Amino acid sequence: MNHSGKVDQDDIARARNVLLASGHRTPREEVDAYRVLSQVSPAAYLPLLARALQRLSYDTSVGRWHPSSLALCEEAVAAARSIDPADTARANVLYQALDSCQRQLYMAGRRAEGLAMRAEMLAIGRAQAELSGDPVVKGLHEWAAGLSEEGRYAEAADAMTELVAAILPDGPASGALAWSLLEWIAALHDADRPSEALAAFETLVSMEAAEAANDRSSMACHLYSLIGYAQMLDTHGRGEQAALARQEALALLTELADPGERKSWGGYQASFWAVLLTFSGAESERPAPDVPRPPSGAAPIRWSPDATRRYFDSLQALREEVDTLAARATEDPDQHLAELVRLHRVLTVRSAVYWENRTHLFAERVRSLFDDGVSLAGRLSQHDPADGTRTLARILIDRSTFHTAAHEFGPALDDFRQALNCLGEVN
């Protein structure tokens, strides 16, 4: 561009040559070319510029964000907004640009701006759904997760209720329904709508039972859903129903122990376990005010980068706090042992989710934590039989599900039977 603000013809020629050249061109060269040509022919080149800016923001060859990734994504949004509103491609281009930019804003800790972009994404999704007649509104998932992280649980529950209502009629064929049901259950629970949360959990359990019976899903996922359902029933004072659910889980785990799953499955069932573990472990958490908490029923892929970083960066500090508290609990168990058990469970859950999300060899990374948790809970049950025995049962069930996720069905069954014995539910 020259000093008069007009695009120089030599710049236009160079930009076209870059795009027409048969050799490899870098993302930076593409962006520079599209920046020039979008001023000459905005209808043709603004969508290409927006997409190229997003590609430049992340170097896939080395798996690293560009140092100016946020600025690049903000430029992509500006380019997408500049597309003629009459252009049918504008909505999709803008949606993708907003999606990339909101992620960068969350990474930078600019959460309010990130959530505002998610709201704009949802508005685009609603407009597209209205035009197409599609009942599924794009952007609802991201919006609900953002609301949940901000503690706006009632709104998050409403958003997930709308989403599930749209996808439920199509059933579990796509595989997405179970994950959405988990998020819906957690949102309803966090919004203090227990009857709806339990009804949603019952829907998940029934679906997983049918899918496992027809060999369309793993028996382990059915088991995890039953155990999570029982824990929620207990939380809301429905002990008899919880005991019945645990008896179903016992029968299923007995079948898993011999002969095991009826067919081989991929690694998704461990991820399903990790999400339910996060959800059940949330009762042990005591989040600080004004600190974003990941949505307790969502997989880490649904968490914002900011919440993910805060959640997992806490592991070292938690480890040190547990070690300090362990010494105090030895000296004064009345004062510190129960808190030690609680805090150790927080450390265990966060570590399990961290490693399951990073390696299929997660079991060896966290095995000792589950074992230590059972040992600590055993001490608590001897010191305080009234409350400690139920705590021991809960942590034995945690370890039972861990063994199941690691395909160690015999030890999983042993732990589960011992837990039922603690609860007085052995037939």
Side-chain angles (χ1 to χ4, degrees), residues 147-158 187 190-191 193 293:
L147 290 170
S148 181
E149 288 188 5
E150 298 304 321
R152 294 165 61 177
Y153 300 127
E155 294 168 87
D158 288 342
D190 290 341
R193 290 155 62 174
R293 189 194 76 175

Side-chain angles (χ1 to χ4, degrees), residues 49-117:
L49 173 60
R51 294 189 179 102
L53 285 161
Q54 292 170 71
R55 287 194 296 272
L56 179 59
S57 72
Y58 185 77
D59 189 341
T60 55
S61 64
V62 294
R64 187 178 304 146
W65 292 104
H66 190 283
S68 302
S69 57
L70 176 54
L72 291 167
C73 288
E74 288 178 323
E75 185 182 349
V77 170
R81 291 194 200 284
S82 299
I83 299 171
D84 187 340
D87 189 333
T88 56
R90 182 180 187 272
N92 281 330
V93 175
L94 180 55
Y95 185 96
Q96 294 302 323
L98 288 166
D99 193 16
S100 296
C101 195
Q102 62 87 14
R103 190 177 300 111
Q104 290 296 314
L105 287 166
Y106 274 107
M107 286 176 66
R110 292 161 59 179
R111 299 182 57 81
E113 294 167 84
L115 187 62
M117 285 201 170

Side-chain angles (χ1 to χ4, degrees), residues 167 230 271:
I167 65 177
S271 298

Side-chain angles (χ1 to χ4, degrees), residues 2 292 382 393:
N2 59 32
Q382 291 176 350

Side-chain angles (χ1 to χ4, degrees), residues 56-327:
L56 179 59
S57 72
Y58 185 77
D59 189 341
T60 55
S61 64
V62 294
R64 187 178 304 146
W65 292 104
H66 190 283
S68 302
S69 57
L70 176 54
L72 291 167
C73 288
E74 288 178 323
E75 185 182 349
V77 170
R81 291 194 200 284
S82 299
I83 299 171
D84 187 340
D87 189 333
T88 56
R90 182 180 187 272
N92 281 330
V93 175
L94 180 55
Y95 185 96
Q96 294 302 323
L98 288 166
D99 193 16
S100 296
C101 195
Q102 62 87 14
R103 190 177 300 111
Q104 290 296 314
L105 287 166
Y106 274 107
M107 286 176 66
R110 292 161 59 179
R111 299 182 57 81
E113 294 167 84
L115 187 62
M117 285 201 170
R118 290 190 185 190
E120 190 173 351
M121 289 164 60
L122 178 59
I124 293 171
R126 288 202 185 284
Q128 289 181 316
E130 186 174 347
L131 285 172
S132 66
D134 189 340
V136 181
V137 176
K138 189 166 64 175
L140 265 174
H141 245 141
E142 292 77 8
W143 177 238
L147 290 170
S148 181
E149 288 188 5
E150 298 304 321
R152 294 165 61 177
Y153 300 127
E155 294 168 87
D158 288 342
M160 286 308 303
T161 298
E162 179 184 351
L163 178 64
V164 170
I167 65 177
L168 193 58
D170 291 333
S174 69
L177 180 57
W179 302 97
S180 296
L181 286 171
L182 284 174
E183 293 181 60
W184 184 37
I185 293 161
L188 290 167
H189 176 74
D190 290 341
D192 197 22
R193 290 155 62 174
S195 296
E196 293 171 78
L198 286 168
F201 225 139
E202 190 172 346
T203 298
L204 175 65
V205 169
S206 298
M207 186 186 81
E208 288 299 321
E211 290 295 281
N214 291 295
D215 289 335
R216 292 191 298 259
S217 181
S218 75
M219 296 165 66
C221 287
H222 180 205
L223 175 71
Y224 302 142
S225 63
L226 269 171
I227 290 173
Y229 181 46
Q231 289 172 333
M232 183 175 280
L233 286 165
D234 269 334
T235 298
H236 296 293
R238 304 190 186 186
E240 289 187 12
Q241 287 177 267
L244 290 173
R246 278 189 287 269
Q247 288 302 316
E248 280 190 65
L250 175 62
L252 187 56
L253 190 47
T254 302
E255 185 179 352
L256 270 169
D258 185 18
E261 292 274 12
R262 290 187 288 270
K263 59 186 290 188
S264 178
W265 299 95
Y268 79 91
Q269 63 267 40
S271 298
F272 197 81
W273 161 72
V275 171
L276 272 166
L277 184 68
T278 308
F279 184 29
S280 69
E283 68 184 58
S284 298
E285 297 268 3
R286 291 178 186 167
D290 302 322
V291 173
R293 189 194 76 175
S296 56
I301 194 173
R302 293 284 181 195
W303 303 355
S304 71
D306 184 29
T308 302
R309 182 174 60 247
R310 290 171 186 263
Y311 188 85
F312 292 134
D313 283 357
S314 68
L315 288 173
Q316 182 58 38
L318 272 171
R319 177 78 268 179
E320 292 171 0
E321 194 174 351
V322 164
D323 290 344
T324 299
L325 199 56

Side-chain angles (χ1 to χ4, degrees), residues 30-42:
E30 269 194 349
V31 164
D32 289 341
Y34 289 141
R35 278 172 174 158
V36 171
L37 296 175
S38 65
Q39 298 174 66
V40 179
S41 182

